[in-house]
Amino acid sequence: MQSPKLLRNAQTQHGDASSVDVENIFLHRHMLSTNPTSGVNLHDREDNPKCVWFPDDQDGSPAESKDPPISISEAKSETQSKEVLPEKRKASSTDDEGYVKKVKLDANGLKTKRPGFSDERYDETSYYFENGLRKVYPYFFTFTTFAKGRWVDEKILDVFVREFRAAPPEEYERSLEAGKLTVNSEKVPKDYRIKHNDLLANVVHRHEVPVTSQPIKIVYMDKDIVVVNKPASIPVHPCGRYRHNTVVFILAKEHNLKNLRTIHRLDRLTSGLLLFGRTAEKARELELQIRTRQVQKEYVCRVEGRFPDGIVECNEKIDVVSYKIGVCKVSPKGKDCKTTFKRIGEVGSDSIVLCKPLTGRMHQIRVHLQYLGYPISNDPLYNHEVFGPLKGRGGDIGGISEEQLISNLISIHNAETWLGLEEDQIVSGEIKDAAASTSVVENPINSETEKPVITQNLEPSNEIATQTCYEEPDRSFDSKKATSDPQCSECKLNYRDPGTKDLIMYLHAWKYKGVGWEYETELPDWACNSNIDYDQV
């Protein structure tokens, strides 16, 4: 007898707001019917709009304004010592400012930028390829955490049911009984009350979400830096349900590039240039350039409608609506932002737009385009009616509060079904064999159609395969590598493969230029379907 169809969160497979994955939320239009409250407008428009249209022959990148220097000097009273306290001030010169920031990075860079994964972690599982997707064999993984203060004196089962909702309560109860969920490496009863400094460990059978099978191409590499062209759908580093299907794990496992330092990041659905440091010194140097806005970045995107002529500059502040779900919006209480846009081509009723972010806020390009009324054509989040009938144009979110917006976003995120069950099919507790594991995928991605990587202003390096000991992974499913767990609920589910529309967003990091360096990638296919002379852009 088959169990009824179960709805699980598409990205995290979780069923609760607390498990929402910051990077991977996306929405489908048919999942929400907005009914905004009439007559409510939370955003009073300013008299002087901050979106400025520049004609083609003007420069839309005025110099950035600097904060005025702050000087604080206080002398002691006459009744006290005549010593004067050292003056406290904000550095007024660029050199001083850079020195201060560099000291801060030097203090923390090594600790925060070194992944530190061992070979044992990399060897937990391996990949196979199917329907244009890179898949990971399910594997056993131990989650560990020290007890938080709010958990003390609470029953361990109650804590896991409330705090970790990746599995149903009965599964945690079974794990306690089987000794898979332990405290300080010891089996405990389900009514065990957590104490200070307890080390909790839970062994789970982990199933990762498929990503595109397109290869991560290396644009440039030397002893200090690695520059890659990240395909859409692959997260930069482990997060949520992604671990081995991430850029840092794939580079380590397939190119022997381990312990890379993250310099910056791209959203999971964004493709393009991604820089890693191979040494702590180089990582800090490049990160400092990015932080001090010495790096010129150019992105290409495809937006709805015919974008205006000339250079469009948007200076609207951006605020994070919720750090939990990673959603932003234009708001007067946000942080300063600046992006310039220019239409460089058209594809049907859409426009190809060149984007130059002068600041580096979260989702900056996507949010500014939403505000201007030209959202990225297939942006699953910011091109959605959850932001109101105007989909956030001009800051209009349909008269609802930010709290209601967050609630709607979480509800829709938890109802995602692109990885839903295939019809009502439930598989046995054993992993499917190669034939049974094949499922229908919508418009699979062809990884063979990519063009060669473009590398400019760089001396040729040795063959990448030679430098990294790269070996093409075994692309076929091997039932001998599959594992199963009779207590794993996901082993009993048959998830539908994601289609092309679930894996790609029309936003690509094209060019980065810093002090003494410049890198450029090839353009994705969606940006090449128009008569654009990119050499003249």
Side-chain angles (χ1 to χ4, degrees):
M1 180 176 178
Q2 292 183 341
S3 302
K5 180 176 179 180
L6 302 178
L7 288 180
R8 303 298 296 278
N9 180 300
Q11 298 302 332
T12 63
Q13 301 294 301
H14 300 176
D16 186 84
S18 65
S19 63
V20 174
D21 183 357
V22 167
E23 290 198 1
N24 306 316
I25 180 171
F26 69 93
L27 315 172
H28 290 296
R29 291 178 174 81
H30 67 275
M31 289 185 174
L32 179 71
S33 175
T34 57
N35 184 19
T37 304
S38 60
V40 179
N41 186 3
L42 299 180
H43 300 275
D44 296 329
R45 301 299 303 278
E46 297 182 10
D47 294 334
N48 297 321
K50 295 185 179 179
C51 295
V52 184
W53 269 252
F54 291 88
D56 289 325
D57 57 350
Q58 291 186 10
D59 182 9
S61 303
E64 298 180 19
S65 61
K66 295 183 179 179
D67 294 332
I70 301 174
S71 178
I72 302 176
S73 182
E74 182 180 351
K76 293 185 178 180
S77 64
E78 295 180 359
T79 58
Q80 296 176 335
S81 172
K82 294 184 178 181
E83 280 185 271
V84 179
L85 292 176
E87 183 183 20
K88 298 179 181 180
R89 64 181 180 85
K90 181 176 180 180
S92 57
S93 67
T94 304
D95 294 339
D96 290 343
E97 182 179 356
Y99 175 77
V100 172
K101 291 186 176 181
K102 187 172 183 178
V103 169
K104 181 178 181 181
L105 291 172
D106 285 343
N108 300 313
L110 185 60
K111 179 180 179 181
T112 58
K113 300 303 176 187
R114 187 178 183 86
F117 294 113
S118 64
D119 289 339
E120 181 182 1
R121 292 301 187 195
Y122 293 130
D123 295 339
E124 289 168 333
T125 185
S126 55
Y127 305 109
Y128 66 99
F129 297 81
E130 183 179 74
N131 295 330
L133 299 170
R134 176 190 292 268
K135 298 184 177 182
V136 174
Y137 291 101
Y139 58 99
F140 291 95
F141 179 78
T142 303
F143 285 97
T144 59
T145 181
F146 282 99
K148 301 183 183 299
R150 65 177 183 271
W151 302 348
V152 174
D153 292 331
E154 289 197 55
K155 294 180 180 179
I156 187 171
L157 182 59
D158 295 339
V159 169
F160 269 81
V161 170
R162 183 185 70 244
E163 302 276 351
F164 305 99
R165 306 189 183 183
E170 54 271 18
E171 188 163 328
Y172 288 124
E173 189 170 357
R174 287 196 299 266
S175 296
L176 284 166
E177 293 174 352
K180 292 183 177 180
L181 204 171
T182 61
V183 178
N184 304 323
S185 302
E186 295 182 357
K187 182 178 178 181
V188 296
K190 63 181 180 181
D191 59 352
Y192 172 84
R193 293 189 179 273
I194 295 176
K195 301 179 180 62
H196 285 290
N197 298 323
D198 273 350
L199 177 62
L200 312 181
N202 186 28
V203 180
V204 299
H205 194 232
R206 193 163 184 176
H207 296 247
E208 294 199 20
V209 179
V211 298
T212 179
S213 63
Q214 289 184 354
I216 300 174
K217 294 188 176 180
I218 297 180
V219 176
Y220 175 77
M221 184 177 70
D222 60 23
K223 64 182 179 61
D224 295 319
I225 191 172
V226 175
V227 184
V228 303
N229 186 5
K230 182 186 92 67
S233 81
I234 307 179
V236 175
H237 45 65
C239 58
R241 282 183 58 86
Y242 298 88
R243 181 174 172 83
H244 289 264
N245 261 348
T246 59
V247 175
V248 294
F249 264 74
I250 294 171
L251 290 178
K253 291 161 70 78
E254 295 186 356
H255 293 275
N256 200 32
L257 293 170
K258 301 176 181 179
N259 294 329
L260 298 178
R261 279 84 172 175
T262 303
I263 296 171
H264 68 112
R265 53 178 286 180
L266 298 175
D267 293 337
R268 181 179 66 88
L269 293 177
T270 302
S271 58
L273 275 173
L274 189 59
L275 282 64
F276 293 98
R278 301 187 74 179
T279 63
E281 294 76 16
K282 191 65 174 181
R284 288 194 292 267
E285 175 190 335
L286 295 183
E287 183 181 0
L288 183 61
Q289 290 186 24
I290 293 175
R291 287 182 180 274
T292 54
R293 300 178 185 174
Q294 300 179 67
V295 177
Q296 301 173 25
K297 297 172 283 186
E298 296 185 21
Y299 289 69
V300 175
C301 68
R302 178 172 166 177
V303 304
E304 281 188 352
R306 191 180 191 279
F307 201 78
D309 296 331
I311 295 176
V312 178
E313 179 181 303
C314 188
N315 293 311
E316 293 292 333
K317 295 181 178 180
I318 292 179
D319 186 37
V320 179
V321 178
S322 171
Y323 285 98
K324 178 182 287 290
I325 61 176
V327 177
C328 305
K329 65 183 286 292
V330 164
S331 172
K333 63 182 180 181
K335 294 183 178 180
D336 291 335
C337 284
K338 181 177 179 180
T339 317
T340 62
F341 303 96
K342 182 179 180 180
R343 175 171 50 83
I344 57 176
E346 297 179 6
V347 178
S349 59
D350 291 350
S351 301
I352 303 296
V353 176
L354 179 67
C355 316
K356 296 182 179 181
L358 280 75
T359 51
R361 307 302 179 199
M362 179 177 173
H363 297 173
Q364 177 174 324
I365 293 174
R366 300 164 66 185
V367 173
H368 272 174
L369 286 170
Q370 179 197 48
Y371 181 87
L372 295 173
Y374 300 92
I376 294 175
S377 301
N378 62 349
D379 190 327
L381 175 57
Y382 294 104
N383 189 6
H384 195 280
E385 290 85 353
V386 70
F387 284 92
L390 298 180
K391 295 188 289 188
R393 179 170 187 169
D396 187 346
I397 60 173
I400 62 175
S401 66
E402 290 188 357
E403 291 73 17
Q404 186 59 50
L405 174 63
I406 295 171
S407 177
N408 292 344
L409 287 166
I410 292 174
S411 297
I412 295 172
H413 179 53
N414 287 336
E416 297 289 284
T417 56
W418 67 263
L419 275 180
L421 300 173
E422 290 182 346
E423 299 175 350
D424 292 324
Q425 186 178 13
I426 302 293
V427 224
S428 66
E430 297 181 357
I431 297 295
K432 307 178 292 291
D433 60 24
S437 65
T438 303
S439 55
V440 178
V441 63
E442 178 182 359
N443 298 325
I445 294 176
N446 184 1
S447 61
E448 307 299 327
T449 59
E450 285 202 344
K451 301 176 183 178
V453 173
I454 300 173
T455 306
Q456 293 188 346
N457 301 328
L458 300 171
E459 295 182 1
S461 59
N462 295 333
E463 177 64 25
I464 295 299
T466 302
Q467 293 188 54
T468 65
C469 303
Y470 172 77
E471 294 183 4
E472 181 70 16
D474 184 4
R475 304 183 71 89
S476 60
F477 179 85
D478 184 355
S479 59
K480 295 180 180 179
K481 296 181 179 180
T483 63
S484 64
D485 181 359
Q487 295 183 351
C488 175
S489 59
E490 292 193 42
C491 284
K492 302 177 177 64
L493 304 178
N494 188 17
Y495 292 107
R496 175 175 64 85
D497 282 344
T500 304
K501 63 182 176 60
D502 305 310
L503 300 174
I504 295 177
M505 183 172 63
Y506 297 152
L507 179 61
H508 180 81
W510 182 28
K511 296 180 181 180
Y512 276 28
K513 181 179 181 181
V515 180
W517 56 270
E518 181 176 2
Y519 304 110
E520 175 181 343
T521 70
E522 61 184 354
L523 288 162
D525 291 340
W526 55 261
C528 300
N529 296 331
S530 61
N531 297 323
I532 302 175
D533 186 356
Y534 283 97
D535 293 333
Q536 301 300 319
V537 172

